[in-house]
Amino acid sequence: MSDNKVNITDPVSGKSLDLPVHTGSCGDPVLDISKLHKELGYFTYDPGFSVTASCSSEITFIDGDQGILRYRGYPIEQLANHSSFIEVAYLLLYGDLPAPAEFRKFEHDITRHTMVHDKLNTFLKGFRYDSHPMAIMSGVVASLAGFYHDDFDIKDAEERDLTAKRLIAKMPTIAAAAYRHHVGWPTAYPRNSLNYTERFLDMMFSVPAEPYKINPVAARALDLLFILHADHEQNASTSTVRLVASTGANPYACISAGIAALWGPAHGGANEAVLDMLNEIGSVEHVGKFIAKAKDKNDPFRLMGFGHRVYKNFDPRAQLIRSACHDVLDDLGIKDPLLDLAMELEKIALEDDYFIERKLYPNVDFYSGIIYKALNIPTSMFTAMFAIARTSGWVAQWLEQSAQGGRIGRPRQLYTGVAERDYLPIDKR
Ligand code: CMC
């Protein structure tokens, strides 16, 4: 890490303190404030954790000003063009690209863990038919803790590895089952002869009445989206997973908490919200009205799929998805007016001072829904798709944290409530 220091002096007490500066392999240096309270009596205040590094990590690097995203050092563009989701999942978990035999073993292990205990299906069927898939997924994944708890030893690296594989393997099975529960179709079991994304499409759309033919364009498009959504350093859901994991909680409960955090429209839920927004806008003539709403401080409406806490120039994932969107629709022979609408919305927003000044650009969620729609995936499943992909990042981060050990995550606060008062019995109030 490094050895520079920043000296700060408290004007009140006159005491001064050297704060160590840590320099990572890339990115801005980080001030180590862990001794600040002990030495000077101050906490730091950073709502939304905009400038706080909560951990050190070797997994994913983002440079928001330059639009750089790398998994384990590999640029996202190279992975998107040459890799597969399963290879990326291996990379995230173990740090390097797999050799052929390692890849075969990993893919085999994932394939062998795709089934879920039949009792889990009973639990899933208890949900109302119209429950949101994310509600089902967070509930069902948390309930996996009930199946793998008593004999799980978090200190055993092999058991942690098995858990990581189980989670990556079972997530598509659970997501597809949530969808089938909604449409009233019988459970589809995973087919081991297929690869990860093909298997998911098969579990989503095959019915007992007739054979289902997987479209390779759809499978590849899905694989690309999974690669682009696989990890994104310490975002809200990953930080949630790490925080819950810091208590020593069961890993399935940790990932379930991540799913819950991802569901919000400011995070992964934005992909669903973008499609709803595009449908609500309806046609190009209404774009101006919605841009005006997004700029109006008295209107809670935001342009969904726009803006990012870290990217202030462009989101490299959005650029890749935008171009994939054209290719996928062309290859599938689909003409979707929502794509024209999205492009017009993007064009008008990017020329508008409000968006320019605030550095608001399309993010990963802006175009992904148009691809999902082209693959016949219903809007309510969009965030579940994100959850399937992000599970690889969550478990990689969980493995890293578990191996590092460390303390329970426990932020402090700036208390602004009543300082102290005496209790009054109810008849005296
Ligand atoms: N539409 C209109 N105004 C916006 C938008 C937007 N989408 N995003 C930010 N702003 C404005 C915001 O009102 C604020 O203006 P002002 O400075 O005048 O108060 C300024 O831009 C900065 O916004 P912020 O809320 O302080 O930024 P943040 O870093 O806290 O939030 C964000 C980032 C992604 C939550 C936010 O941009 C947003 O709500 N976007 C829409 C939801 C979305 O697309 N989320 C997906 C994010 S990418 C995928 C993922 O993380 O899962």
Side-chain angles (χ1 to χ4, degrees):
M1 290 208 216
S2 109
D3 317 290
N4 289 339
K5 290 180 172 54
V6 167
N7 182 272
I8 57 164
T9 303
D10 175 11
V12 181
S13 65
K15 277 195 197 165
S16 69
L17 175 66
D18 282 338
L19 296 176
V21 176
H22 301 314
T23 313
S25 44
C26 353
D28 292 334
V30 172
L31 262 188
D32 182 341
I33 53 155
S34 52
K35 299 255 171 356
L36 188 68
H37 185 257
K38 196 166 161 225
E39 300 294 333
L40 299 186
Y42 290 105
F43 293 130
T44 54
Y45 183 60
D46 178 24
F49 310 117
S50 301
V51 294
T52 297
S54 60
C55 62
S56 68
S57 178
E58 298 179 357
I59 302 174
T60 293
F61 173 72
I62 303 174
D63 182 326
D65 292 325
Q66 303 207 47
I68 290 172
L69 169 61
R70 296 184 202 129
Y71 298 159
R72 301 282 191 183
Y74 293 99
I76 192 67
E77 294 78 6
Q78 290 183 23
L79 295 170
N81 289 325
H82 305 298
S83 189
S84 66
F85 174 68
I86 283 297
E87 188 178 63
V88 164
Y90 182 100
L91 173 70
L92 291 170
L93 261 59
Y94 305 116
D96 289 306
L97 287 170
E102 290 168 327
F103 179 79
R104 280 195 298 276
K105 176 166 186 332
F106 184 66
E107 193 173 40
H108 171 268
D109 290 353
I110 296 288
T111 305
R112 300 301 298 183
H113 285 289
T114 47
M115 283 182 67
V116 293
H117 194 290
D118 212 41
K119 278 279 173 244
L120 204 76
N121 288 322
T122 320
F123 176 68
L124 188 140
K125 290 200 169 91
F127 279 91
R128 267 175 62 131
Y129 78 97
D130 55 356
S131 304
H132 195 282
M134 289 296 277
I136 299 183
M137 283 185 77
S138 63
V140 170
V141 171
S143 75
L144 278 173
F147 293 82
Y148 306 105
H149 185 70
D150 289 342
D151 56 354
F152 174 70
D153 177 6
I154 203 164
K155 295 196 187 73
D156 183 327
E158 262 181 52
E159 283 197 33
R160 293 201 301 263
D161 184 65
L162 176 60
T163 302
K165 286 178 184 155
R166 275 190 182 132
L167 274 156
I168 294 172
K170 292 186 198 312
M171 205 58 85
T173 313
I174 295 168
Y179 170 65
R180 296 178 80 90
H181 177 62
H182 172 64
V183 287
W185 290 351
T187 309
Y189 292 103
R191 279 173 54 198
N192 286 2
S193 56
L194 302 174
N195 73 26
Y196 193 82
T197 37
E198 291 169 344
R199 189 162 51 237
F200 173 70
L201 287 171
D202 186 71
M203 284 190 287
M204 278 288 284
F205 299 119
S206 63
V207 289
E210 58 187 35
Y212 171 70
K213 198 165 172 302
I214 291 152
N215 185 329
V217 174
R220 174 60 200 153
L222 198 55
D223 204 66
L224 172 70
L225 289 173
F226 283 179
I227 292 172
L228 298 178
H229 286 87
D231 196 43
H232 214 229
E233 53 117 304
Q234 307 311 318
N235 58 85
S237 56
T238 303
S239 298
T240 302
V241 170
R242 277 189 176 253
L243 188 62
V244 179
S246 77
T247 69
N250 181 289
Y252 297 95
C254 300
I255 301 301
S256 164
I259 294 172
L262 185 73
W263 190 3
H267 192 7
N271 57 11
E272 181 178 341
V274 169
L275 217 80
D276 291 343
M277 175 189 76
L278 291 174
N279 280 321
E280 197 189 340
I281 296 174
S283 76
V284 171
E285 306 90 79
H286 302 139
V287 165
K289 190 176 103 193
F290 280 84
I291 296 265
K293 269 167 76 61
K295 289 158 56 175
D296 181 354
K297 287 284 151 219
N298 299 316
D299 189 326
F301 175 78
R302 281 189 167 198
L303 217 51
M304 299 314 288
F306 255 75
H308 198 275
R309 170 63 62 80
V310 183
Y311 294 118
K312 297 298 171 198
N313 194 347
F314 65 92
D315 178 339
R317 304 166 302 170
Q319 297 206 325
L320 290 159
I321 295 181
R322 188 180 192 270
S323 108
C325 204
H326 288 278
D327 296 346
V328 172
L329 265 60
D330 283 351
D331 287 352
L332 295 175
I334 294 172
K335 176 95 189 85
D336 188 342
L338 286 191
L339 178 57
D340 299 331
L341 181 57
M343 280 168 34
E344 185 63 13
L345 185 61
E346 178 187 2
K347 184 170 161 285
I348 295 177
L350 292 184
E351 287 165 357
D352 191 297
D353 282 348
Y354 175 94
F355 292 89
I356 294 169
E357 279 159 19
R358 289 169 182 75
K359 301 187 173 181
L360 301 170
Y361 298 88
N363 60 47
V364 67
D365 292 322
F366 193 65
Y367 284 104
S368 62
I370 297 172
I371 302 186
Y372 288 137
K373 183 168 170 254
L375 307 185
N376 287 324
I377 289 166
T379 317
S380 63
M381 281 294 290
F382 288 3
T383 314
M385 310 302 294
F386 195 154
I388 295 174
R390 186 54 59 87
T391 297
S392 60
W394 290 331
V395 295
Q397 303 266 351
W398 171 77
L399 282 176
E400 180 178 69
Q401 175 172 334
S402 307
Q404 285 169 346
R407 305 171 74 197
I408 186 170
R410 199 340 185 151
R412 305 305 295 243
Q413 64 169 8
L414 172 66
Y415 177 70
T416 55
V418 176
E420 189 179 4
R421 51 183 155 175
D422 289 323
Y423 179 84
L424 272 185
I426 195 160
D427 56 330
K428 302 251 162 50
R429 286 175 225 158

